[in-house]
PDB file of all heavy atoms in Angstrom:
ATOM      1  N   ALA A  32      34.130  51.553  23.185  1.00 98.00           N
ATOM      2  CA  ALA A  32      33.642  52.828  23.727  1.00 98.00           C
ATOM      3  C   ALA A  32      32.419  53.252  22.930  1.00 98.00           C
ATOM      4  O   ALA A  32      32.295  52.937  21.746  1.00 98.00           O
ATOM      5  CB  ALA A  32      34.713  53.901  23.589  1.00 98.00           C
ATOM      6  N   ILE A  33      31.492  53.959  23.598  1.00 98.00           N
ATOM      7  CA  ILE A  33      30.336  54.520  22.894  1.00 98.00           C
ATOM      8  C   ILE A  33      30.261  56.003  23.212  1.00 98.00           C
ATOM      9  O   ILE A  33      30.482  56.418  24.357  1.00 98.00           O
ATOM     10  CB  ILE A  33      29.033  53.762  23.250  1.00 98.00           C
ATOM     11  CG1 ILE A  33      27.899  54.184  22.300  1.00 98.00           C
ATOM     12  CG2 ILE A  33      28.622  53.938  24.704  1.00 98.00           C
ATOM     13  CD1 ILE A  33      26.735  53.203  22.259  1.00 98.00           C
ATOM     14  N   ILE A  34      29.969  56.794  22.173  1.00 98.00           N
ATOM     15  CA  ILE A  34      29.944  58.259  22.331  1.00 98.00           C
ATOM     16  C   ILE A  34      28.545  58.743  21.976  1.00 98.00           C
ATOM     17  O   ILE A  34      28.030  58.431  20.905  1.00 98.00           O
ATOM     18  CB  ILE A  34      30.961  58.917  21.367  1.00 98.00           C
ATOM     19  CG1 ILE A  34      32.354  58.336  21.596  1.00 98.00           C
ATOM     20  CG2 ILE A  34      30.961  60.440  21.521  1.00 98.00           C
ATOM     21  CD1 ILE A  34      33.269  58.462  20.402  1.00 98.00           C
ATOM     22  N   LYS A  40      20.991  57.896  26.531  1.00 98.00           N
ATOM     23  CA  LYS A  40      21.300  57.042  25.378  1.00 98.00           C
ATOM     24  C   LYS A  40      20.011  56.508  24.754  1.00 98.00           C
ATOM     25  O   LYS A  40      18.931  56.689  25.310  1.00 98.00           O
ATOM     26  CB  LYS A  40      22.173  55.873  25.823  1.00 98.00           C
ATOM     27  CG  LYS A  40      23.541  56.317  26.314  1.00 98.00           C
ATOM     28  CD  LYS A  40      24.458  55.128  26.478  1.00 98.00           C
ATOM     29  CE  LYS A  40      25.796  55.557  27.053  1.00 98.00           C
ATOM     30  NZ  LYS A  40      25.677  56.018  28.461  1.00 98.00           N
ATOM     31  N   ASP A 103      21.961  52.390  29.759  1.00 98.00           N
ATOM     32  CA  ASP A 103      23.124  52.644  30.630  1.00 98.00           C
ATOM     33  C   ASP A 103      23.509  51.358  31.362  1.00 98.00           C
ATOM     34  O   ASP A 103      24.689  51.012  31.460  1.00 98.00           O
ATOM     35  CB  ASP A 103      22.797  53.734  31.664  1.00 98.00           C
ATOM     36  CG  ASP A 103      22.713  55.107  31.032  1.00 98.00           C
ATOM     37  OD1 ASP A 103      23.447  55.344  30.050  1.00 98.00           O
ATOM     38  OD2 ASP A 103      21.910  55.930  31.492  1.00 98.00           O
ATOM     39  N   MET A 106      25.299  49.014  29.031  1.00 98.00           N
ATOM     40  CA  MET A 106      26.672  49.451  28.733  1.00 98.00           C
ATOM     41  C   MET A 106      27.595  49.048  29.885  1.00 98.00           C
ATOM     42  O   MET A 106      28.671  48.498  29.679  1.00 98.00           O
ATOM     43  CB  MET A 106      26.735  50.971  28.503  1.00 98.00           C
ATOM     44  CG  MET A 106      25.974  51.468  27.285  1.00 98.00           C
ATOM     45  SD  MET A 106      26.508  50.747  25.712  1.00 98.00           S
ATOM     46  CE  MET A 106      25.201  49.616  25.376  1.00 98.00           C
ATOM     47  N   ILE A 111      31.435  48.546  28.702  1.00 98.00           N
ATOM     48  CA  ILE A 111      31.629  49.492  27.592  1.00 98.00           C
ATOM     49  C   ILE A 111      31.816  50.885  28.202  1.00 98.00           C
ATOM     50  O   ILE A 111      31.033  51.291  29.065  1.00 98.00           O
ATOM     51  CB  ILE A 111      30.387  49.465  26.661  1.00 98.00           C
ATOM     52  CG1 ILE A 111      30.260  48.085  25.997  1.00 98.00           C
ATOM     53  CG2 ILE A 111      30.462  50.570  25.607  1.00 98.00           C
ATOM     54  CD1 ILE A 111      28.888  47.768  25.457  1.00 98.00           C
ATOM     55  N   ASP A 112      32.868  51.605  27.777  1.00 98.00           N
ATOM     56  CA  ASP A 112      33.093  52.962  28.291  1.00 98.00           C
ATOM     57  C   ASP A 112      32.166  53.932  27.573  1.00 98.00           C
ATOM     58  O   ASP A 112      32.135  53.963  26.334  1.00 98.00           O
ATOM     59  CB  ASP A 112      34.551  53.404  28.053  1.00 98.00           C
ATOM     60  CG  ASP A 112      35.507  52.706  29.023  1.00 98.00           C
ATOM     61  OD1 ASP A 112      35.014  52.001  29.935  1.00 98.00           O
ATOM     62  OD2 ASP A 112      36.734  52.874  28.857  1.00 98.00           O
ATOM     63  N   SER A 113      31.424  54.736  28.355  1.00 98.00           N
ATOM     64  CA  SER A 113      30.494  55.711  27.763  1.00 98.00           C
ATOM     65  C   SER A 113      31.078  57.110  27.841  1.00 98.00           C
ATOM     66  O   SER A 113      31.594  57.509  28.892  1.00 98.00           O
ATOM     67  CB  SER A 113      29.176  55.711  28.531  1.00 98.00           C
ATOM     68  OG  SER A 113      28.509  54.503  28.336  1.00 98.00           O
ATOM     69  N   TYR A 114      30.978  57.849  26.747  1.00 98.00           N
ATOM     70  CA  TYR A 114      31.404  59.252  26.713  1.00 98.00           C
ATOM     71  C   TYR A 114      30.223  60.096  26.279  1.00 98.00           C
ATOM     72  O   TYR A 114      29.536  59.736  25.320  1.00 98.00           O
ATOM     73  CB  TYR A 114      32.541  59.448  25.696  1.00 98.00           C
ATOM     74  CG  TYR A 114      33.827  58.766  26.090  1.00 98.00           C
ATOM     75  CD1 TYR A 114      34.069  57.452  25.690  1.00 98.00           C
ATOM     76  CD2 TYR A 114      34.788  59.425  26.848  1.00 98.00           C
ATOM     77  CE1 TYR A 114      35.249  56.807  26.042  1.00 98.00           C
ATOM     78  CE2 TYR A 114      35.975  58.792  27.197  1.00 98.00           C
ATOM     79  CZ  TYR A 114      36.198  57.479  26.790  1.00 98.00           C
ATOM     80  OH  TYR A 114      37.368  56.856  27.142  1.00 98.00           O
ATOM     81  N   GLN A 115      30.002  61.236  26.963  1.00 98.00           N
ATOM     82  CA  GLN A 115      28.952  62.137  26.501  1.00 98.00           C
ATOM     83  C   GLN A 115      29.549  63.352  25.823  1.00 98.00           C
ATOM     84  O   GLN A 115      30.436  64.016  26.379  1.00 98.00           O
ATOM     85  CB  GLN A 115      28.057  62.577  27.655  1.00 98.00           C
ATOM     86  CG  GLN A 115      26.784  63.225  27.119  1.00 98.00           C
ATOM     87  CD  GLN A 115      26.076  64.080  28.137  1.00 98.00           C
ATOM     88  OE1 GLN A 115      26.136  63.820  29.331  1.00 98.00           O
ATOM     89  NE2 GLN A 115      25.405  65.114  27.651  1.00 98.00           N
TER      90      GLN A 115
END
Side-chain angles (χ1 to χ4, degrees):
I33 191 161
I34 304 156
K40 295 191 184 68
D103 288 328
M106 295 301 105
I111 295 160
D112 285 353
S113 292
Y114 293 90
Q115 194 199 330

